[in-house]
Amino acid sequence: YPELDIELFPFVVGREDGKAAKQSVDLVISDEAPFQLSRRHFMIEDGDEGFEIVDCGSYHGTIVNGAKLGNDSIHFRAPLNPGENEIIAGTSSSPFRFIIVIEGDEAP
C-alpha cells in the first residue's frame, strides 16, 4: 500500500460519499455497505503532548494500538507512540487498517 508523509495537521480520514469534500476530509477512502468508515472517521492531530488520534464521532469507533475510541467507549483520543502504531477504522474485523510511524523524538 502507498505511504503518505503527513505534514499538515489535523489530518482527517473518512469515507467517500460525494459530500466528503464539504466535510474537509484529507484522505478519502471508498467503502461499501455495510459501512465500516464514517464520512469523517478519525483525525491525526499534532498537539502539545505529541501526535494523537481523535475519533470524530464515528459509528463503529476507532481502535488505536488495541484500545477502542469512540462508539461505546468514553475515550475519543489516544496518543501515538514513537515507532509503529496500528489504527483500525471501524470494528476489529474492518479491512481499513493503518500503520502510523512516529519517527525521532517527535512523540512524547
Side-chain angles (χ1 to χ4, degrees), residues 4-68:
L4 295 174
D5 286 329
I6 301 171
E7 297 179 6
L8 297 175
F9 298 92
F11 185 87
V12 180
V13 176
R15 181 181 82 224
E16 179 179 47
D17 75 345
K19 298 178 185 176
K22 295 179 184 176
Q23 297 196 18
S24 302
V25 175
D26 299 297
L27 178 60
V28 179
I29 302 171
S30 296
D31 191 9
E32 296 180 6
F35 298 114
Q36 285 286 330
L37 288 174
S38 293
R39 290 179 187 104
R40 283 179 54 92
H41 198 97
F42 71 87
M43 74 174 96
I44 304 167
E45 288 187 337
D46 183 7
D48 294 338
E49 302 287 320
F51 293 103
E52 296 180 310
I53 295 290
V54 179
D55 184 87
C56 297
S58 67
Y59 184 79
H60 289 295
T62 304
I63 301 170
V64 179
N65 296 324
K68 181 138 186 194

